[in-house]
Each structure stands twice: as C-alpha cells, then as structure tokens.
C-alpha cells in the first residue's frame, strides 16, 4: 500500500490538533493592560513567523479571536496563537512561498480566506486568491486599530468590557459590514487622506498609552503597508507597459494577461517585491533586534541588502536633484 503523503490525499487544513478551547486561555481584550496587550500581540506574531519559517505552515485567519493569552501566577502573560483549522501548508517549491493546493482562479475547496473585519485588502477585493504571509501581517495591523477603538483595560484581572456590550466605534463600524463596505472603509484608511483623520481620532480620544501605541506602532505600519501597496501598483503598471511593448514589437502571442506581475522573472508578489516582509514589519515598529532573537540573523541578510540598495538609490536621486538645482 502506498502511504506516501501528497497534496491530493492530505487536505490543506493540517493543524486541527492545535485548536484551543481551554478556559485557561483568555481573549486578547482581557489582557488587562496595554503592555500585556502588546506582549500578547508580539508573542502571537512570533508564533506566526516561526510556524511559517520552520514548520512551513501559514495561519490564514488572523483575528482578535485567535490571539489569546495565558496568564501566569506572577501576573505575566504569554500570547498563544490559536485556531489553526484553516492553516495551510506552504509550497516549498514556489519561490513566492504560496500555499499548497490553492491557485489563482482555482481556490482549494478547503480554503477560507479569513475573518472579514481583519482580512487584507487584496483578499477582500478578490485580486489575490492565494494567501501569503503579507496578508496575515496586514491582519495583525488591523487588530491594532480595532483594539484602540474597542478595548478598555479597566483593571488587571478582568481586562476590558466585553465585545457583547461594546458598540463599535464609528471609525471601524464598517468593518462589520458587507465585504464591499469593509473594502471601501479600509481603502479610505490605507490609501486616502481620510486615513489621517482616523489616526488623529485615535490619538485624541484615547489615553496617552493608546496614543503612544498609535505613534510608535500603528502609524509606522500604516506607512509601510501603504507604500508597499503603492509600489506594487507601480510594478504592475510597469509590467503592463512591458507586455504592451512586446506586443507592438511582435514578441508576444497576445494571450498574456496585461500587468500580470507574477509572471515577471524574479518578482516576488508574495512580499510586494520585497516591500512587505516580516523584517520590514518589525523594523517599522522598532523591533528588529527582537526579530533577530526569533531566528538566525543571517535569514534577514537579503532584507538588509535590499534596504541598503534602497538607501543608496534615494541618495543618488537626492544628489541628482541637488546637482540639477545648482545648474
């Protein structure tokens, strides 16, 4: 009997055994303090990173319900990332690290994209049918915004008011709507000037501790994700222009999809061309050294090389601008 595991006989939902239903674990909104909340969030992000890098598994459903915590007798907490029922094996043969068994236009029947209020823009929109780590990183970002508007840590043990009695703030109320409403609200947050009003509202209406979280974590991550999306959009326009030029020169059979950036040699759509990675994500919140304690620093060598190249390019353009101004 052939018992070899294949993608055909081994469904994508691979981690049912890691589901946690124990009353020992508390929900994220029961963290008790903002410091505990940040600790739990980082612990869960670490678990997510190690699962992807070491176990080659992608969670695919990051939400406030799946970031839980274990409270220790001394009052400290440990974050536990739960609900791996929709996790997927990573295709190690794919350069972009996409999920095995899911392909554009033909999603696996086992795949569920996530919890709508926390889903990445491209998954809600439907542009991306293959889940990538950047989608989960974007979900971690949305949890921060959700927490600022909804969580009240009243005292060390009971944590916040429960979600059952907390009405969603007007700034995130649309996240509980239809996919179209969620998409529209998040586009305004991420890509328009209206997003600045949301961040200002967070800083003005909440305590200084929450405002500090907005300044040091949320706003830098917003800039990172916004710029990564904008850069990816530029890449797609460039790819479309290349295909058009090839068609005009008779080098294209006319069947290629315009702007299919995934077909460009060497381009990594899973990270928006290297713009949205774990390293960049942690760097945005000033946690690069923390990330390097999670794994061998050599694994971030490529990220650092890209950053150095970008800095050199920015310096080159700046010098060119200065030279043209003096002419």
């Amino acid at each position: 009997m052939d018992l070899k595991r294949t993608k055909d006989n081994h469904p994508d939902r691979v981690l049912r055994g890691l589901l946690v239903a124990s009353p020992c674990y508390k929900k994220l909104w029961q963290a008790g303090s903002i410091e505990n909340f940040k600790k739990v969030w980082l612990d869960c992000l670490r678990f997510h990173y190690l699962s992807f890098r070491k176990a080659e598994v992608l969670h695919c459903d990051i939400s406030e319900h799946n970031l839980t915590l274990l409270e220790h007798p001394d009052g400290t907490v440990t974050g536990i990332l739960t609900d791996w029922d929709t996790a997927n094996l990573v295709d190690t043969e794919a350069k972009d690290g996409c999920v095995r068994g899911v392909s554009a236009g033909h999603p696996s029947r086992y795949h569920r994209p996530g919890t709508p209020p926390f889903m990445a823009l491209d998954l809600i929109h439907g542009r991306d049918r293959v889940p990538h780590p950047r989608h989960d990183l974007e979900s971690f970002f949305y949890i921060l915004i959700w927490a600022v508007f909804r969580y009240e840590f009243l005292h060390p043990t009971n944590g916040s008011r429960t979600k059952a009695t907390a009405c969603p703030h007007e700034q995130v109320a649309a996240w509980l709507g239809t996919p179209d409403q969620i998409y529209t609200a998040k586009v305004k947050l991420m890509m328009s000037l209206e997003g600045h009003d949301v961040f200002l509202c967070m800083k003005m209406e909440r305590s200084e501790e929450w405002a500090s979280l907005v300044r040091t974590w949320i706003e830098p991550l917003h800039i990172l994700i916004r710029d990564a999306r904008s850069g990816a959009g530029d890449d797609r326009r460039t790819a479309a222009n290349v295909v058009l030029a090839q068609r005009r020169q008779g080098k294209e059979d006319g069947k290629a999809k315009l702007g299919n950036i995934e077909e460009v040699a060497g381009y990594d759509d899973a990270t928006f061309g290297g713009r949205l990675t774990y390293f960049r994500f942690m760097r945005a919140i000033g946690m690069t050294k923390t990330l390097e304690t999670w794994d061998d620093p050599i694994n971030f060598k490529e990220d650092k090389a890209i950053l150095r190249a970008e800095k050199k390019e920015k310096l080159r353009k700046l010098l060119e601008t200065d030279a043209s101004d003096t002419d």
Side-chain angles (χ1 to χ4, degrees), residues 142-161:
Y142 292 137
I143 287 174
L144 293 176
I145 296 175
W146 184 262
V148 172
F149 281 124
R150 295 206 65 181
Y151 293 178
E152 292 286 352
F153 298 124
L154 302 180
H155 43 79
T157 56
N158 292 336
S160 74
R161 57 192 179 191

Side-chain angles (χ1 to χ4, degrees), residues 49 52-53 94-97 265-280 283 288 291-292 295-311:
Y49 169 80
F52 177 72
R53 288 300 302 265
K95 292 182 179 180
D96 61 0
Y267 186 82
D268 180 16
D269 189 57
T271 62
F272 280 152
R275 296 182 180 92
L276 186 50
T277 63
Y278 287 101
F279 182 86
R280 297 258 188 167
R283 181 175 179 268
T288 303
L291 177 63
E292 291 180 343
D295 201 356
D296 191 331
I298 197 172
N299 290 323
F300 311 113
K301 184 178 180 180
E302 183 176 350
D303 289 282
K304 294 178 180 179
I306 292 174
L307 283 174
R308 287 194 296 270
E310 289 178 352
K311 289 180 179 179

Side-chain angles (χ1 to χ4, degrees), residues 57-73:
V57 171
L58 188 62
H59 190 281
C60 299
D61 187 16
I62 300 299
S63 76
E64 67 167 345
H65 305 287
N66 301 334
L67 273 62
T68 65
L69 64 101
L70 176 64
E71 190 172 33
H72 302 290

Side-chain angles (χ1 to χ4, degrees), residues 15 21 41 47 53 60-61 66 79-80 98 100 121 158 181 187 189 195 244-245 270 282 295 301 327:
L15 292 176
W41 187 88
F47 201 149
R53 288 300 302 265
C60 299
D61 187 16
N66 301 334
I80 309 291
C98 66
R100 179 183 300 158
L121 270 172
N158 292 336
Q181 290 172 329
V187 167
L189 170 72
L244 285 171
M282 292 292 282
D295 201 356
K301 184 178 180 180
D327 289 342

